[in-house]
Amino acid sequence: MAAFKTLEIIRLGFRSLTQHALRSLLTMLGILCGVAAVIAMLAIGEGTSQETQEQFRRLGANNIILQSVKPGDKPAARVFGMPVLAYGLTYADLQRMKDILLHAEVVVPQRRIPREVRYSHRKMRATIVGTVPWDGALSSAALREGRRLIAADEYQNLNHCVLGYKVAEALFQHESPLGKALHVAGDYYRIVGVLAPRGMGGRNPMGGDAEDLDTQVYIPLATARTRFGQVLIATDPNDQASESVELHEIHVRVPTVDQVMGTSRAIEELFGRTHRYSDWSMFVPLQQIEEAKAAGERFSIMLAAIAAISLLVGGIGIMNIMLASVTERTREIGIRRALGAKKRDIVLQFLVETVVISFMGGLLGVGGGIFIPWAITKFMEQKTVVTPQSLVLSVAISLGIGLIFGMYPAWRAAQLDPIEALRHE
Amino acid sequence: MSVAEVRNLSKRYQMGPETVHALRDVSIVFGEGDYTAIMGHSGSGKSTLLNVLGCLDRPTGGEYFLGGQNVATLSDDQLSAVRGKHIGFVFQSFNLIAQLTVQENIEVPLFYQGVASRQRRQRSAELAEMVGLEHRLHHRPTELSGGQQQRVAIARSLANDPLVILADEPTGNLDTATQHEILAIFEKLNRAGKTIIMVTHEDDVAACAKRRIILADGLVKRTEHGRQVD
């Protein structure tokens, strides 16, 4: 019996809404905006978080990246009367790691040499990166044309290269660079492939700025060693000392993601024993992914909390209208009480009306909440992800808002004295 | 046999520092099939008596038996149930709910008694026919004349077949012709056995009743028996 009564009251609630269509719509607007904002904010937060995670994932979640860092406290040694500061990762480090990290799939060094590259009369500053074909960062990069470096390039010390997108654009413009020869430091390199745009690499959070991955030129590591020597000595005009760096980067790749943290701790320990100065840094993409995930969640929650304020405002708006409605319908309440309505019948009637308004507002808000992220993605090229949970959550919240903010007006209505209410004009 | 009976009923209000005695020691018996007019000037206590009789208000002293049950001490929810089941209200200003149709207005007391939709529909149609409004079932109260609205209200008051009908100045807002129409309906109902208690200050309306109780200063001043119409 109670159930059928509730159903009738819900029907009555809907009718009372359609009888004041404009007022109901305006009242819903607050909840509508709130729900749409919450969903949109969660979608933006989720999109940003996924995008960041994706950036780190491109570096390979199974990888640990070690880099040479110029130490602040190491004095320069004198070599033939010239001050030379030798620092960073060494071939000895590489060998030690190979000996200790038996489970690691590969231990891959990278060399970077800043050089001018030329084709015909055009030239630009690029970074020559000596790398192996199985390097995670390179092998996961998308190709625009041609191919990546392959094992044969490495084993045969071939003068082959793959261009970063900007290098190809600057030197070749409208021609295809494939098969052409790139002039670098007196040698010619056959261009076998061009990478798609990659943007700034975020891989060097501790030492120095992010580098522009698109101005890199990749050559086989073996080739780099023969052409540029075992040790890179660069002379900085602003500094009295020259610098000597054996290896700029070492990549450690483990078979499964669970081994990443243990391996990184082992490397830390090894380097703690063998390096007196802090002339190296370790970067673990996995850790960054986790951190990005956590940061993304915090960001989402903050955005949603800001959006939730508009839900609160919407709820207050509903309460306001319902209080006005109670006053306006005082006489009706008196009549219903005289004709046998109990207090809880009156509470139910007004509560149902409030919940119906906020629920309808919530449903319309879901529409807005799906549309806004879609528009943001379409026109602002910002990745957004609307999760089903956020939809369910916001509809549930809108129901809750209706219940909470409907409670007080409904209680007020029920507390009216029937005699007074009947006399009300 | 008494349908409703008040014994030594009193009602006091606190108005600031002063205590107002709206009713003092009122005892009245309403027998089955009685048609009683309660009269008196404003401030005589007739509205308070009506509110107590209608279970809208609780007395501060005395007893009130309705259908053999002492209702003077019931809880708010219990009083709601008693009102819905045993009392039919007819008000001076009709008090129909504007958003509802004629039929739905008649159904309101049935709804709160938990009568299922189909039975409600049937009962309300019968009642509308009884007051001659079967062709107005789906109209809104505002589309009806005053007399028609009061007929809807009378139909509504009969919905749960109550023990008593309480009419508060039922013809106060009507012209003379319509007044006669409404009083004729009351008379017909009374002849069919309904107990009617009507509050009025108009002598010619009160004259239709079988008994008149005149209140003054919260006391029964005089009781007159017999119809006084020709």
Side-chain angles (χ1 to χ4, degrees):
Chain A
M1 192 203 90
F4 108 83
K5 224 164 158 184
T6 311
L7 257 164
E8 295 255 340
I9 288 176
I10 290 172
R11 201 176 55 86
L12 212 73
F14 269 101
R15 214 167 74 184
S16 140
L17 287 192
T18 49
Q19 271 166 358
H20 304 278
L22 180 65
R23 183 206 280 184
S24 308
L25 215 68
L26 290 174
T27 313
M28 276 176 207
L29 215 56
I31 294 292
L32 191 157
C33 292
V35 165
V38 167
I39 295 173
M41 290 301 150
L42 285 173
I44 292 168
E46 181 67 21
T48 312
S49 161
Q50 282 192 14
E51 211 164 49
T52 318
Q53 287 178 47
E54 187 50 40
Q55 269 173 14
F56 288 121
R57 197 162 290 131
R58 256 182 260 138
L59 296 173
N62 287 10
N63 290 355
I64 296 167
I65 298 162
L66 293 156
Q67 287 177 320
S68 294
V69 176
K70 186 175 175 178
D73 53 351
K74 188 177 178 182
R78 296 225 154 236
V79 180
F80 304 121
M82 293 284 289
V84 174
L85 176 62
Y87 67 87
L89 306 170
T90 62
Y91 289 101
D93 289 331
L94 181 61
Q95 195 51 53
R96 272 194 292 272
M97 284 163 70
K98 277 182 172 166
D99 292 343
I100 292 171
L101 307 173
L102 297 175
H103 61 283
E105 228 174 73
V106 272
V107 179
V108 179
Q110 249 198 15
R111 288 276 308 272
R112 281 147 211 260
I113 309 117
R115 279 288 184 283
E116 191 175 72
V117 295
R118 277 189 288 169
Y119 174 73
S120 171
H121 62 281
R122 290 189 279 268
K123 54 188 176 182
M124 76 174 286
R125 289 288 294 178
T127 307
I128 312 298
V129 180
T131 183
V132 287
W134 45 89
D135 172 16
L138 184 59
S139 59
S140 60
L143 270 179
R144 194 182 75 178
E145 54 187 314
R147 63 168 174 83
R148 297 187 179 85
L149 293 175
I150 56 172
D153 297 320
E154 173 74 17
Y155 294 133
Q156 295 171 31
N157 279 8
L158 294 177
N159 274 15
H160 283 176
C161 69
V162 171
L163 301 187
Y165 166 77
K166 278 188 188 159
V167 179
E169 286 290 292
L171 300 187
F172 296 92
Q173 291 167 354
H174 304 300
E175 304 176 53
S176 168
L178 289 188
K180 307 263 163 47
L182 184 74
H183 190 192
V184 185
D187 281 309
Y188 288 92
Y189 293 81
R190 198 177 131 88
I191 298 162
V192 296
V194 179
L195 297 177
R198 295 209 287 165
M200 303 302 283
R203 97 150 52 128
N204 204 349
M206 325 192 197
D209 312 318
E211 5 170 32
D212 190 347
L213 297 175
D214 292 331
T215 61
Q216 293 182 336
V217 174
Y218 298 89
I219 62 173
L221 183 66
T223 311
R225 248 183 242 167
T226 29
R227 303 292 168 215
F228 296 97
Q230 292 285 335
V231 177
L232 176 76
I233 300 180
T235 313
D236 188 341
N238 300 326
D239 203 340
Q240 65 272 41
S242 294
E243 293 177 11
S244 159
V245 179
E246 283 187 33
L247 291 167
H248 280 91
E249 206 162 292
I250 297 177
H251 287 200
V252 179
R253 191 180 178 87
V254 293
T256 67
V257 173
D258 335 326
Q259 290 168 307
V260 169
M261 295 323 285
T263 307
S264 76
R265 275 193 297 277
I267 294 169
E268 220 157 50
E269 203 179 303
L270 171 69
F271 274 66
R273 274 188 277 119
T274 53
H275 282 245
R276 225 182 112 194
Y277 300 97
S278 50
D279 57 352
W280 61 282
S281 72
M282 181 164 63
F283 175 64
V284 185
L286 180 71
Q287 210 171 351
Q288 302 299 317
I289 293 169
E290 308 271 308
E291 273 166 24
K293 214 183 268 176
E297 265 159 30
R298 280 197 299 275
F299 184 57
S300 292
I301 289 169
M302 199 189 69
L303 286 178
I306 293 168
I309 292 173
S310 64
L311 266 178
L312 189 75
V313 172
I316 293 170
I318 288 193
M319 184 160 79
N320 202 6
I321 292 291
M322 289 314 289
L323 282 173
S325 172
V326 167
T327 306
E328 190 187 278
R329 290 158 68 182
T330 298
R331 196 168 184 124
E332 177 192 333
I333 295 162
I335 297 169
R336 288 183 182 276
R337 294 279 278 132
L339 300 182
K342 299 190 168 102
K343 279 183 178 171
R344 61 169 173 274
D345 292 322
I346 302 294
V347 167
L348 197 61
Q349 182 186 345
F350 281 88
L351 205 54
V352 161
E353 271 184 40
T354 322
V355 170
V356 165
I357 290 185
S358 63
F359 182 67
M360 296 296 287
L363 283 187
L364 293 175
V366 164
I370 290 170
F371 173 76
I372 295 170
W374 173 83
I376 287 174
T377 303
K378 185 158 172 72
F379 299 112
M380 291 161 70
E381 283 167 9
Q382 155 80 44
K383 184 176 177 175
T384 54
V385 180
V386 178
T387 60
Q389 297 98 292
S390 74
L391 300 186
V392 175
L393 178 78
S394 21
V395 171
I397 287 178
S398 70
L399 268 177
I401 293 258
L403 276 176
I404 291 166
F405 289 94
M407 210 74 93
Y408 178 64
W411 178 82
R412 274 266 294 255
Q415 289 309 306
L416 288 171
D417 175 27
I419 300 168
E420 296 287 326
L422 278 169
R423 234 180 262 151
H424 191 264
E425 280 311 314
Chain B
M1 196 205 141
S2 82
V3 168
E5 182 177 353
V6 292
R7 286 184 202 152
N8 310 107
L9 207 64
S10 67
K11 178 76 188 178
R12 292 185 303 275
Y13 297 103
Q14 203 64 41
M15 294 261 286
E18 263 177 272
T19 306
V20 179
H21 293 266
L23 292 174
R24 19 183 147 205
D25 206 31
V26 173
S27 299
I28 308 170
V29 178
F30 300 91
E32 192 166 358
D34 262 5
Y35 186 176
T36 310
I38 294 170
M39 304 185 67
H41 299 291
S42 63
S44 61
K46 62 182 197 300
S47 294
T48 307
L49 180 60
L50 192 78
N51 287 337
V52 172
L53 289 173
C55 293
L56 290 165
D57 206 351
R58 268 172 284 208
T60 40
E63 289 166 313
Y64 172 23
F65 291 93
L66 184 65
Q69 183 188 14
N70 187 357
V71 296
T73 54
L74 293 183
S75 73
D76 195 86
D77 274 2
Q78 288 169 320
L79 284 180
S80 292
V82 169
R83 284 197 297 270
K85 235 178 284 176
H86 300 312
I87 296 165
F89 285 98
V90 179
F91 302 96
Q92 178 175 7
S93 48
F94 324 132
N95 276 345
L96 300 176
I97 298 171
Q99 299 96 288
L100 304 182
T101 63
V102 164
Q103 183 159 32
E104 287 164 337
N105 265 292
I106 299 174
E107 286 178 17
V108 171
L110 296 165
F111 174 74
Y112 288 115
Q113 292 309 307
V115 177
S117 157
R118 189 187 309 202
Q119 280 101 296
R120 291 208 308 262
R121 205 100 313 166
Q122 202 185 334
R123 175 89 176 126
S124 56
E126 282 168 19
L127 289 164
E129 199 181 337
M130 204 185 98
V131 296
L133 286 172
E134 63 277 11
H135 55 291
R136 291 275 191 268
L137 280 179
H138 305 295
H139 287 242
R140 300 280 150 134
T142 46
E143 297 164 348
L144 304 180
S145 71
Q148 285 174 324
Q149 290 191 47
Q150 197 59 303
R151 271 146 62 189
V152 175
I154 292 172
R156 181 179 68 183
S157 75
L158 294 168
N160 281 319
D161 196 16
L163 292 172
V164 279
I165 294 187
L166 287 181
D168 184 8
E169 307 269 10
T171 59
N173 283 10
L174 302 173
D175 59 48
T176 320
T178 324
Q179 174 178 318
H180 287 307
E181 208 179 284
I182 296 301
L183 288 174
I185 295 175
F186 279 126
E187 214 172 304
K188 198 174 96 187
L189 288 172
N190 180 242
R191 221 172 288 139
K194 278 280 159 214
T195 311
I196 299 171
I197 303 170
M198 180 166 69
V199 168
T200 182
H201 63 269
E202 290 173 76
D203 292 333
D204 53 337
V205 174
C208 298
K210 292 179 185 165
R211 175 174 65 157
R212 280 158 300 284
I213 293 169
I214 294 102
L215 293 181
D217 297 323
L219 289 163
V220 177
K221 192 176 150 198
R222 191 169 81 238
T223 306
E224 299 173 5
H225 292 276
R227 279 162 59 85
Q228 296 187 331
V229 268
D230 28 33

